[in-house]
Amino acid sequence: NYVFLGIVSILVLVSSVKVFSRNLDWKNLVTILERDLEIAPKSVKLNMLLANDLFESATVKNLKEKEKDSLFERSAFYYNQALSTYPKHTPAHNNLGVLYNMTGDYQKSQEHFLKASQDENPTAQTFFNLGLSYQANGDKAKAVENLKKSIELNNKNFEPYFNLMSI
């Protein structure tokens, strides 16, 4: 009985020390994920979580252009880290496509959307995003083609219809 109580006490003590040491890393989500990536740099999940948080910060917050560009650049870095581990990671390709589309790099945007569209089960959103990228780049024929593919996969989404009307 005393042995069991001693072992449980040691486990509680060790766990408590670990929790308190982790709290030093936890200023916000970015700091904890960056710390975790030092330990597991090839983790697709951690790279995606950090990239998504940085991307969201760049798009949601009212930032100066230089700060926004820095967040986009860091976000792209972590998406590419995820892709270096798992090259067919469709969400990373789709998110990079959106990022590059927002920054005006339509060539890279289309490359990533095309890779995302080659997934076994491509989503309507991927073709919608690809259509938007072609539309922004002035390629109306490819924009229409991909917006129609988006509708084929999900005819309940009004956005592709709306964009087709504006072409």
Side-chain angles (χ1 to χ4, degrees):
N1 218 5
Y2 289 116
V3 174
F4 176 73
L5 206 53
I7 292 172
V8 169
S9 297
I10 290 171
L11 288 174
V12 168
L13 179 65
V14 170
S15 297
S16 297
V17 168
K18 181 63 179 169
V19 167
F20 283 114
S21 72
R22 285 290 282 167
N23 283 342
L24 298 174
D25 296 332
W26 191 290
K27 294 176 183 73
N28 57 39
L29 183 60
V30 171
T31 59
I32 194 78
L33 290 172
E34 286 175 334
R35 177 69 177 110
D36 289 346
L37 280 167
E38 290 174 14
I39 297 163
K42 295 290 186 185
S43 170
V44 173
K45 181 74 169 177
L46 289 174
N47 278 292
M48 288 297 294
L49 286 170
L50 183 52
N52 287 340
D53 190 69
L54 294 169
F55 182 73
E56 183 179 340
S57 294
T59 57
V60 173
K61 295 179 180 175
N62 190 12
L63 301 170
K64 294 178 183 171
E65 206 60 37
K66 190 174 183 178
E67 293 171 300
K68 192 179 282 192
D69 290 344
S70 174
L71 287 172
F72 278 142
E73 188 176 309
R74 288 177 63 204
S75 182
F77 172 81
Y78 289 109
Y79 284 132
N80 282 310
Q81 286 294 100
L83 288 171
S84 72
T85 301
Y86 182 40
K88 293 184 176 186
H89 195 265
T90 301
H93 282 297
N94 193 59
N95 293 355
L96 272 170
V98 171
L99 186 150
Y100 288 127
N101 203 47
M102 290 178 75
T103 59
D105 191 340
Y106 303 117
Q107 180 69 34
K108 281 186 180 179
S109 171
Q110 290 159 13
E111 287 172 19
H112 284 285
F113 286 138
L114 286 169
K115 287 178 182 175
S117 72
Q118 293 168 357
D119 186 71
E120 288 178 20
N121 299 307
T123 66
Q125 190 65 42
T126 298
F127 288 108
F128 174 71
N129 290 338
L130 183 55
L132 291 183
S133 185
Y134 282 127
Q135 185 179 8
N137 201 27
D139 191 336
K140 292 180 181 183
K142 286 186 178 179
V144 167
E145 174 187 339
N146 284 283
L147 290 169
K148 285 181 177 180
K149 282 182 189 176
S150 176
I151 292 168
E152 287 174 21
L153 292 171
N154 179 7
N155 63 6
K156 293 183 181 5
N157 185 3
F158 74 91
E159 290 177 303
Y161 294 105
F162 180 77
N163 282 80
L164 280 171
M165 290 188 313
S166 68
I167 293 180

